[in-house]
Amino acid sequence: MQWSCPMYRKLGLLVIAAVLLQGCATYVEHRLSSRVEPMGMPANMPEIITDTGGQFREFCLPHLGGCTKYIYAPSTTERQEQSFKFTAVFEDATKEYVLDLNRQQIPEVRRGTMIMLHGYGGNKETMYFLAEYYRFIGFHVIIPDLKGHGESSHEQPGLAVNDVEMIHNLINSLPGRERPHPLFITGYSMGAVAAVHVARQRNDISGLVLLAPMRQFEDAVYEVTKMTNKTAVKIISEDSIREGARNTLLKNDIEAEALDLHQILPPLKVPTLVLASERDSVAPFSYFQPLGSRYVEVKEIPDRHHFLMAIMDPKMHEYLYPWLQRRR
């Protein structure tokens, strides 16, 4: 499987008139509280997913106020080899990530289920490249659209905390044959924070894989804005961006500490692997390194952009596969 992805995609130009009318911080709050613009993906992505055995499904609960779509795909242990190729096109360079695996390298296949949670601005399809890796080593995968993203009917993002009930109920709705134990969760960026909250609510999660976990919310919002929208940081001050982020949490009745891994991860006695890159200003390795403990391993993926932390390559496989094999 080979994909390419243009980097530094504009997440939406800020309109000067709107800023002047609404106020900078208010505009930031409005953007963060509204349905997230979809990330650019290959037009044939649905066909790629169905051709490789994935199924698109819908999950609804009346008391949750809406529905969401999710991908279910069983393991592919019958395959004898799998090639992973991803091309990232930057403004000034092109970089390829390649991993070739065969059954001699993966002699012992797993049995289990991996729930996969995308980050802010992503959707279920953005996690499918990594899902193919998990399927090859023996996992069933379940990948929902989080609130306010993709094909979720909710217009407002869940900001990790408000996604938990939906994820919890979706897991419980599946028959045992489709979610064999042990259960693991992989979360990327904001999805990593959601993963921790789901694990705190359940007693059947055997491990967490946290890819470039989001740091404190207002720091993450500011760093992502700098990376993705150079127009915004010229028009809106850092103080206003941070104020808008804080106001978003207040509006959603979410404490800032609930989105801080340093606060919510240590009390959780679940084996956890954190993968981060020092190059990533949104989730730098040094920020998470102090979390290392009996339960938490923190490993560095060198020279990796934030938006590429869910892309499989030899270094990630070197850390991830042995760690999963130790979890039973």
Side-chain angles (χ1 to χ4, degrees), residues 50-69:
T50 55
D51 288 349
T52 54
Q55 303 172 23
F56 288 93
R57 299 177 177 180
E58 186 173 57
F59 175 69
C60 300
L61 276 182
H63 76 277
L64 294 180
C67 302
T68 196
K69 295 285 184 71

Side-chain angles (χ1 to χ4, degrees), residues 7 16 18 21 44 46 72 75 87 97 104 121 125 145 149 158 162 196 224 252 255-256 278 291 293 296 316 319 321:
M7 300 303 298
I16 296 177
L21 289 172
N44 64 337
Y72 166 77
S75 63
T87 303
Y97 299 86
Q104 287 68 43
E125 287 86 357
D145 278 325
H149 293 76
N162 294 332
V196 174
V224 169
N252 288 275
E255 297 288 339
E278 193 60 31
L291 289 171
S293 68
V296 179
M316 189 175 290
Y319 290 142
Y321 181 68

Side-chain angles (χ1 to χ4, degrees), residues 244-256:
R246 292 193 296 270
N247 290 343
T248 300
L249 297 186
L250 287 172
K251 178 180 179 179
N252 288 275
D253 197 25
I254 297 174
E255 297 288 339

